[in-house]
Amino acid sequence: MAQKSITILGSTGSIGKSTVDIIRREPDKYRVAALTGNQNVSLLAEQAKLLNAGLAVTADETKYAELKELLSGTAVRVGAGFQAVVDAAKEDADWTMSSIVGAAGLLPTMEVVKRGRTLALANKETLVCAGEIVMKAIREYHTTLIPVDSEHSAIFQTLEEKHRGAVDRILLTASGGPFREKDAAFMEKATPEQAVAHPNWSMGAKISVDSATMMNKGLEIIEACHLFNFPVDKIEVLVHPQSIVHSAVGYVDGSVLAHMGMPDMRTPIAYALAWPDRMISPTARLDFTKISALTFAAPDEKRFPALRLAKECQAKGQTATAVMNAANEVAVGAFLNRRIGFSDIVRIVEKVVEISPLDPVSTIQEVIAADGEARKTAERCLAERIKN
Ligand code: NAD
Ligand code: MG
């Protein structure tokens, strides 16, 4: 059987490592074209050696010599700097995992789209900041797009294309994060350690904080609108603390098709890798006799205002969602660096959206400019917040 060539953008992160774990089990089936990372060059070099990668790139230019040294005596080519990451996305690969965190994933992901092959998309921020432009390019270049975010993989699997007109709602499940039962006073004082301690999923720091504010679910509402071309009011968030039902699609006859499985990202990654087939994955099997209860509740938008804010931004359009995303990245970074409190994150994002000009954007360059301006505005709001 012909080998499938693979690139992993963000191979050293949580999703990247899970992807490596899936492909290293069947090395004969895959040829690794490129791997990219950022600070953790020792892990990047280790992965590149393990998988015999053609190219290994760190986004951090200052790490070039270190990566080169770690890979000396191997056939792996080495690159460094953000442009080198973008170029790595142009390497010939049948299948690319886009798992860089944040809007930094936008340009590399666009390069994958332009190659017209298969894009496995974990980097939701790409759709939040430029969903209309990216989805248009996907159609233009006939790119196969397989969602990796567990909820969107679930919707992808339960949305019957032939019955698309008979869908009456998308049920997007949310664990509720580590602060699901905490009150506003607790959240004001919550620490980064508490915020990243997710009850069910092990993930990178940024998405873990997004999960705690429920901005992650806000981003996912927007992601779902773009991926499946549904209006925001068709999407209902459902808090489901066990994270067993990964999402569901409701039809006009009353049927609800749900997707279940253990909370392990290797399942949606394996789905995206094998599509349109299925493959064996090392994920633990779901044992129904061990699940005592599956519970569901409506989300509390008072304690988690990010949900309301994300829906409002989606209704305002792509510039508003790009600005919201950029401000969120800055505010989450400031919280992780202990410059602001947990509840300040969404306050700052809301403020930045309120005071930013929201002129329409129609190109990636315009999105990047709006993103840059929003980051500057967020820094100004942060400085003010810290002063007071
Ligand atoms: P992570 O922080 O663990 O990893 C991020 C990766 O991006 C690393 O390889 C890092 O080196 C790279 N990176 C960081 N900054 C970069 C930059 N400026 N330029 C180039 N590369 C850079 O993040 P993660 O948890 O793996 O999440 C990755 C993406 O997948 C996010 O968009 C997240 O929302 C999405 N996602 C993650 C999960 C999960 O379970 N972790 C689930 C669903 C979706
Ligand atoms: Mg998700």
Side-chain angles (χ1 to χ4, degrees), residues 206-217:
K206 192 258 178 185
I207 182 174
S208 297
V209 176
D210 284 347
S211 214
T213 57
M214 289 195 80
M215 179 57 91
N216 183 50
K217 214 45 56 179

Side-chain angles (χ1 to χ4, degrees), residues 48-337:
K49 283 191 223 166
L50 174 77
L51 301 172
N52 256 324
L55 173 69
V57 175
T58 161
D60 183 349
E61 253 168 281
T62 67
K63 300 264 179 186
Y64 177 76
E66 196 182 337
L67 182 61
K68 185 92 188 148
E69 173 62 30
L70 286 163
L71 288 169
S72 65
T74 73
V76 184
R77 287 176 292 130
V78 171
F82 186 67
Q83 186 54 45
V85 173
V86 176
D87 291 340
K90 298 178 191 164
E91 291 281 309
D92 187 37
D94 302 316
W95 188 92
T96 303
M97 168 58 77
S98 162
S99 55
I100 290 172
V101 60
L106 176 58
L107 279 176
T109 304
M110 268 311 272
E111 289 304 332
V112 179
V113 170
K114 286 188 206 156
R115 290 192 13 269
R117 311 284 271 284
T118 301
L119 167 64
L121 184 65
N123 174 237
K124 64 192 87 182
E125 293 91 346
T126 278
L127 290 180
V128 174
C129 64
E132 283 170 31
I133 300 167
V134 173
M135 293 307 292
K136 187 163 167 263
I138 282 179
R139 290 189 293 273
E140 236 169 70
Y141 291 94
H142 305 287
T143 307
T144 302
L145 171 61
I146 314 289
V148 172
D149 213 347
S150 56
E151 297 77 1
H152 304 75
S153 176
I155 297 163
F156 188 85
Q157 294 179 56
T158 52
L159 180 63
E160 300 177 313
E161 217 28 71
K162 64 178 186 296
H163 294 142
R164 183 167 239 291
V167 171
D168 68 359
R169 59 194 174 141
I170 302 283
L171 295 161
L172 193 66
T173 51
S175 69
F179 302 156
R180 179 174 56 89
E181 292 186 306
K182 304 294 186 200
D183 60 17
F186 177 94
M187 287 196 266
E188 286 292 347
K189 295 198 159 55
T191 64
E193 290 73 21
Q194 290 168 322
V196 300
H198 197 279
N200 306 339
W201 300 93
S202 148
M203 312 181 284
K206 192 258 178 185
I207 182 174
S208 297
V209 176
D210 284 347
S211 214
T213 57
M214 289 195 80
M215 179 57 91
N216 183 50
K217 214 45 56 179
L219 302 177
E220 289 184 355
I221 293 174
I222 299 165
E223 181 185 13
C225 289
H226 289 297
L227 280 172
F228 306 113
N229 195 21
F230 284 119
V232 66
D233 58 9
K234 275 226 171 176
I235 299 170
E236 273 176 41
V237 172
L238 205 49
V239 176
H240 167 49
Q242 297 82 16
S243 299
I244 296 291
V245 174
H246 296 305
S247 276
V249 178
Y251 293 89
V252 289
D253 59 6
S255 303
V256 175
L257 301 190
H259 173 280
M260 297 193 221
M262 293 296 282
D264 184 330
M265 288 307 293
R266 291 176 302 179
T267 295
I269 292 168
Y271 179 81
L273 183 57
W275 187 90
D277 301 323
R278 287 194 187 257
M279 64 184 283
I280 297 168
S281 111
T283 314
R285 304 295 106 143
L286 186 57
D287 182 346
F288 283 91
T289 64
K290 295 215 168 79
I291 305 170
S292 53
L294 294 177
T295 60
F296 302 91
D300 180 348
E301 292 191 4
K302 280 222 165 60
R303 279 185 306 132
F304 298 102
L307 285 172
R308 168 192 49 76
L309 179 61
K311 286 189 275 188
E312 284 170 10
C313 288
Q314 175 61 8
K316 283 183 190 153
Q318 194 167 236
T319 315
T321 58
V323 166
M324 179 191 83
N325 179 66
N328 183 56
E329 287 188 31
V330 173
V332 169
F335 167 69
L336 286 170
N337 290 323

